[in-house]
Amino acid sequence: MQKRILLLGSGELGKEFVIACQRLGQHVIAVDSYDQAPAMQVAHQCEVINMLDGEELDRIVAKHKPDLIVPEIEAIRTERLYDYEKQGMLVVPSAKAANFTMNRKSIRDLAATELRVRTPKFLYASSLDELIISVNKIGFPCVVKPLMSSSGKGQSVIKDITDIEMAWSAASKARGEATRKVIVEEFIEFESEITILTVTQKNGETLFCAPIGHRQERGDYMESWQPAAISSGQLQRAQKIAQKVTAALGGAGIWGVEFFLTKDDVYFSELSPRPHDTGMVTLAGTQNFNQFELHARAVLGLPIPEIKLERNGASAVILTESAGTEPVYSGLEEAANFPDTDFRIFGKPVTRPFRRMGVALAYGKEESTDELRARATEVAKAIRVK
């Protein structure tokens, strides 16, 4: 049966989700704050609104009367989602999940206080003076993040007291609301970071994708690879935590659950109730279903019997260096010459320094993830954005 799906946020993750939904015969309305966002280019209908404006959000929901509402970004008036749920619309994965995970305080309090899973030590601050006190309690180095942001925006590492004022300023200017309050987090001396893509189903068991390793710069994902190296004990602990947190939030869909791995332990970091940027690597055919196909099937209530790792893969982002409009891409022929690779251009109409404009992919059954990472990086370097 065809469903009307209202997608709130229309970036590159949303674009792949729309494609997955259309292949299952669904109707998608893509919403974002600017025209010609990537998902709008492939959706049946689109709307341009400020999703932090509750009345505008109400208007769009009333106009389209969707069966499902799928948030793709953080900057949404998330408390409105509870009302839509009461009206009989399905919020993906649930209004509680969207509301809690859009705000770091809610999800961290749930994980650390209610569920008692292991997280870095943390405190909150709502002024520069409070930040100074919190930093001194947590100790140096530490990490400061706005309560609501994505892709590392407004995030800083404080190494000494001279960094505090700059960190407060960066967090205060980050996207979204609640940015005048920040979380101060213990800096974990981790060996690696991983994402456990977790799929919750309406009428089936919770499933896990093979762990994904990733590297960040400026708080944003630069490359990812699957499978990531992790001990069986750590993997079991991470999956147990992922299942515990997603069960507490409720609903069906894919979740990107992030962890820090130390030599002997696992720390819960963050969680996104939707496809994850590091999960772009699944577009390299690493699994029988990529993360967007899994999300579409889960939210539509279609059974997913199993998730199988088919081959190794790696992804590397394609960035732009300057601000502008109507980007032009060169080097595509060179990039296409690499064996066992692919690339996706997202179609964003505007560039800015370090904006993610595409992704390069590499795959293979015999090559190690290190070899594939190097190849994906070469493909990404070949593509230039002007």
Side-chain angles (χ1 to χ4, degrees):
M1 179 178 176
Q2 186 183 70
K3 302 287 187 181
R4 291 179 64 81
I5 301 172
L6 189 69
L7 179 66
L8 300 180
S10 299
E12 60 267 29
L13 300 177
K15 184 175 188 175
E16 296 294 337
F17 174 70
V18 171
I19 292 170
C21 287
Q22 288 191 344
R23 287 175 174 159
L24 296 174
Q26 308 305 306
H27 183 100
V28 184
I29 304 103
V31 183
D32 214 311
S33 59
Y34 67 98
D35 195 20
Q36 287 300 303
M40 293 179 178
Q41 300 164 22
V42 293
H44 294 89
Q45 295 172 263
C46 61
E47 298 280 0
V48 179
I49 66 166
N50 174 10
M51 288 174 286
L52 287 172
D53 185 329
E55 292 183 0
E56 276 290 274
L57 205 55
D58 289 346
R59 179 180 67 82
I60 292 300
V61 170
K63 175 182 176 180
H64 291 283
K65 298 179 175 58
D67 300 297
L68 289 84
I69 298 175
V70 182
E72 192 237 4
I73 62 171
E74 287 82 359
I76 301 171
R77 184 68 69 179
T78 53
E79 69 273 12
R80 285 290 211 277
L81 300 177
Y82 290 107
D83 293 332
Y84 307 149
E85 213 168 51
K86 290 176 183 176
Q87 293 171 32
M89 289 167 261
L90 177 65
V91 177
V92 173
S94 66
K96 179 180 179 181
N99 196 53
F100 271 49
T101 56
M102 297 301 181
N103 187 302
R104 286 189 171 95
K105 185 178 188 304
S106 298
I107 191 63
R108 184 57 63 88
D109 288 348
L110 173 70
T113 306
E114 293 185 36
L115 302 180
R116 298 190 178 279
V117 304
R118 187 158 195 181
T119 72
K121 298 174 185 176
F122 64 95
L123 291 170
Y124 302 113
S126 52
S127 68
L128 178 58
D129 288 341
E130 286 185 13
L131 178 59
I132 293 170
I133 294 170
S134 296
V135 167
N136 284 316
K137 287 182 178 179
I138 294 291
F140 299 101
C142 61
V143 181
V144 173
K145 305 174 183 177
L147 289 188
M148 186 179 290
S149 71
S150 65
S151 299
K153 292 177 176 63
Q155 180 174 315
S156 304
V157 176
I158 293 182
K159 297 179 181 178
D160 58 53
I161 198 167
T162 62
D163 296 330
I164 297 178
E165 190 167 346
M166 188 179 297
W168 175 254
S169 177
S172 298
K173 294 174 182 176
R175 183 175 63 188
E177 294 192 330
T179 53
R180 296 302 293 180
K181 191 167 188 177
V182 302
I183 183 170
V184 185
E185 191 176 86
E186 171 191 14
F187 185 88
I188 299 295
E189 293 288 349
F190 57 87
E191 293 190 340
S192 62
E193 296 178 87
I194 64 163
T195 302
I196 300 289
L197 292 176
T198 304
V199 181
T200 52
Q201 302 188 75
K202 289 183 179 179
N203 299 303
E205 63 178 328
T206 297
L207 302 176
F208 304 99
C209 300
I212 295 170
H214 54 92
R215 181 180 65 83
Q216 297 187 17
E217 289 180 14
R218 300 173 297 276
D220 204 358
Y221 132 82
M222 293 290 106
E223 59 173 333
S224 62
W225 54 94
Q226 187 185 33
I230 180 174
S231 71
S232 59
Q234 285 178 315
L235 181 59
Q236 289 175 7
R237 288 198 293 277
Q239 290 178 341
K240 185 176 180 180
I241 291 170
Q243 186 164 17
K244 194 173 187 180
V245 178
T246 55
L249 293 170
I254 199 164
W255 312 67
V257 191
E258 296 181 61
F259 296 90
F260 297 123
L261 301 184
T262 61
K263 184 177 180 180
D264 302 311
D265 218 330
V266 173
Y267 289 78
F268 170 80
S269 174
E270 294 186 350
L271 173 146
S272 299
R274 58 187 179 276
H276 200 263
D277 51 7
T278 64
M280 286 278 192
V281 68
T282 63
L283 291 174
T286 55
Q287 305 178 161
N288 55 329
F289 297 112
N290 67 45
Q291 68 163 345
F292 308 100
E293 294 166 337
L294 289 169
H295 196 44
R297 287 169 180 263
V299 303
L300 291 169
L302 300 176
I304 305 167
E306 64 176 338
I307 302 172
K308 295 187 292 184
L309 183 69
E310 302 282 6
R311 58 190 183 187
N312 298 340
S315 75
V317 299
I318 299 167
L319 301 178
T320 185
E321 296 179 356
S322 59
T325 58
E326 299 181 5
V328 176
Y329 299 86
S330 61
L332 301 186
E333 287 188 13
E334 180 184 348
N337 264 322
F338 288 87
D340 296 332
T341 64
D342 196 2
F343 53 84
R344 305 288 172 91
I345 303 299
F346 300 145
K348 295 178 179 178
V350 175
T351 68
R352 56 176 177 263
F354 305 115
R355 191 174 199 192
R356 191 165 62 218
M357 304 299 289
V359 66
L361 306 161
Y363 51 84
K365 290 188 176 181
E366 303 300 328
E367 297 95 328
S368 68
T369 51
D370 285 342
E371 292 173 301
L372 296 174
R373 287 172 63 187
R375 193 187 305 159
T377 299
E378 287 299 308
V379 174
K381 287 180 179 178
I383 299 174
R384 294 170 291 279
V385 189
K386 294 183 181 180

